[in-house]
Amino acid sequence: CSALSIANAKTIKIGTEATFAPFEFTNEKSEIIGFDIDIIKAIGAEAGFDVEIVNMPFDALVPSVLTSQLEGAIAGVTITEERAQRVNFSDPYYKSGISAVIRKEDASKYPTIDSLKSSRLCAQIGTTGANAAQKISGNFGSYNTVPEAIMELKTKGCEAVLNDRPVNLYFLRTQNDDSVVEIKELLNGEDYGIMVSKKNPELLKQINEGLDKIRKNGKFAEIHKKWFNV
Ligand code: GLN
């Protein structure tokens, strides 16, 4: 029975960028795990599809959905007007926003995000953090991943990393590294959505219905607790 149902289940390709803990990252066995991965799999279980996770650079996700190399993507992607012109977004599933990580020794020098306005900043390429860096100082470097941007901060290639606050907080909580701290300020309120190809409105509907179901049956809360422990 299970062999038959596996053979019959539709598998959809969902892109991610797996250096964004706790939303998507790799474990010691190089498996891609995280809040987003559990959420999309739980949605698939409700909606009747299996998920194949495809790892790629963040700035390749929208183009890959646009050209149908992916059916969708889940990657802590902020719902923005610009992206929504190219791809569909599911209903919002997570409240996020931008904060800044600085070197601890600079904590009194940079008490607020505004105090970074003439500093060189770092961000991940193609992200809302990069947009924020552009607005704050205009002088910023883009890196393929957030860990690379943090590395640049530590080696003094920039004065702050602009990135999603829940990822910054998770990093600061889980890394044994007290050389960096967060400026305790949320710059923009943002919502994450699951990206779906505009050519597949049926999948968008299934994802929204699945999301609604896992919110109602407690699965969403269970997954949230697993990764955020709250
Ligand atoms: N939420 C941010 C954005 O959508 C960053 C996402 C990410 O780096 N995975 O731009």
Side-chain angles (χ1 to χ4, degrees), residues 23 35 78 92-98 164-166 186 188-193 215 220 224 228:
F23 294 97
F35 176 81
T78 300
Y93 71 93
Y94 193 90
K95 283 211 173 306
S96 186
I98 303 295
D164 296 26
R165 188 170 204 200
L186 184 71
N188 302 324
E190 300 183 352
D191 281 309
Y192 291 166
R215 280 194 200 280
F220 187 99
H224 189 274
F228 294 94

Side-chain angles (χ1 to χ4, degrees), residues 15 31 35 45 88 109 115 120 127-128 137 156 161 177 223:
E31 295 157 338
F35 176 81
N88 279 333
K109 194 169 160 194
S115 64
R120 178 156 176 89
T127 61
T128 50
S137 90
K156 306 199 174 182
V161 175
D177 178 357
I223 294 169

Side-chain angles (χ1 to χ4, degrees), residues 89-91 203-213:
F89 277 103
S90 71
D91 295 333
L203 179 61
L204 180 68
K205 188 164 166 271
Q206 286 180 322
I207 286 178
N208 280 333
E209 284 170 1
L211 183 58
D212 193 49
K213 277 193 198 151

Side-chain angles (χ1 to χ4, degrees), residues 16-180:
T16 200
E17 190 281 298
T19 64
F20 209 61
F23 294 97
E24 41 271 330
F25 58 114
T26 47
N27 63 14
E28 317 74 47
K29 294 184 231 153
S30 299
E31 295 157 338
I32 300 175
I33 58 168
F35 176 81
D36 282 351
I37 309 305
D38 285 353
I39 290 292
I40 192 66
K41 286 188 175 161
I43 289 173
E46 290 294 341
F49 59 78
D50 286 333
V51 176
E52 181 192 340
I53 298 291
V54 184
N55 193 19
M56 60 175 67
F58 185 77
D59 62 348
L61 292 171
V62 171
S64 300
V65 172
L66 207 53
T67 55
S68 300
Q69 284 159 42
L70 295 172
E71 272 139 315
I74 189 162
V77 180
T78 300
I79 301 173
T80 66
E81 253 174 60
E82 194 196 343
R83 291 172 182 157
Q85 285 171 7
R86 307 170 76 192
V87 298
N88 279 333
F89 277 103
S90 71
D91 295 333
Y93 71 93
Y94 193 90
K95 283 211 173 306
S96 186
I98 303 295
S99 75
V101 175
I102 56 174
R103 290 182 297 274
K104 192 181 185 177
E105 66 200 45
D106 291 340
S108 55
K109 194 169 160 194
Y110 301 123
T112 60
I113 291 179
D114 192 55
S115 64
L116 293 165
K117 64 173 179 276
S118 36
S119 303
R120 178 156 176 89
L121 307 176
C122 279
Q124 185 182 13
I125 193 162
T127 61
T128 50
N131 292 345
Q134 171 67 45
K135 271 198 204 124
I136 294 161
S137 90
N139 174 9
F140 71 102
S142 288
Y143 297 83
N144 280 328
T145 66
V146 171
E148 287 167 72
I150 300 265
M151 193 59 74
E152 189 68 7
L153 170 70
K154 288 191 194 175
T155 56
K156 306 199 174 182
C158 62
E159 301 298 290
V161 175
L162 275 296
N163 181 42
D164 296 26
R165 188 170 204 200
V167 173
N168 288 340
L169 293 179
Y170 187 87
F171 173 83
L172 294 171
R173 203 167 62 231
T174 56
Q175 302 294 306
N176 244 339
D177 178 357
D178 63 358
S179 70
V180 290

